[in-house]
Amino acid sequence: MPETRNLLNADRLALLPDHATVINTARGSLIDTGALTAECVSGRLSAILDVTDPEPLPVDSPLFGLPNVQLTPHIAGAMGTEVHRLAEAALDELERYAKGLPPAYPIHMRDLARIA
């Protein structure tokens, strides 16, 4: 979303202490890839990235060859059981609705810009 694109930009990356590790398993667009690449190439920061922007990274991206960067194929959350858990949670919410109960996990309009 526009509100979260490059949320972790060059200015915010600069606030991290030397030798910090940036971990992103959420959305690639949350991080300014160019700024993160510069920090990792310099050796000041390390990164573990399950998602990138763009995804996939260009084949000539410097991130592929850096010893302080680990890239995973965007499957960190896909172990097979998550689909069953999501279905159970959805069915639980439908049951609550049918009984006239409020949702156990409501979503508020004010939060949509940061959770989508």
Side-chain angles (χ1 to χ4, degrees):
M1 300 196 75
E3 295 87 354
T4 60
R5 184 166 218 21
N6 292 333
L7 188 65
L8 197 54
N9 59 19
D11 292 338
R12 289 193 172 115
L13 288 169
L15 296 173
L16 295 173
D18 290 352
H19 310 295
T21 299
V22 174
I23 300 172
N24 190 4
T25 61
R27 295 283 182 264
S29 63
L30 290 173
I31 299 176
D32 178 338
T33 302
L36 180 63
T37 299
E39 291 281 12
C40 291
V41 166
S42 77
R44 194 181 83 76
L45 297 178
S46 296
I48 300 172
L49 305 172
D50 186 53
V51 289
T52 58
D53 185 35
E55 190 169 44
L57 287 171
V59 294
D60 61 344
S61 171
L63 293 174
F64 284 117
L66 296 174
N68 55 331
V69 175
Q70 296 294 314
L71 299 168
T72 62
H74 195 124
I75 59 167
M79 301 303 290
T81 60
E82 73 282 357
V83 175
H84 298 288
R85 289 192 318 264
L86 289 170
E88 287 175 15
L91 290 171
D92 288 346
E93 290 289 13
L94 283 172
E95 184 177 12
R96 292 179 66 79
Y97 177 76
K99 290 179 178 178
L101 298 171
Y105 305 102
I107 297 172
H108 302 284
M109 290 298 290
R110 68 178 181 268
D111 297 327
L112 288 180
R114 67 175 180 80
I115 64 173

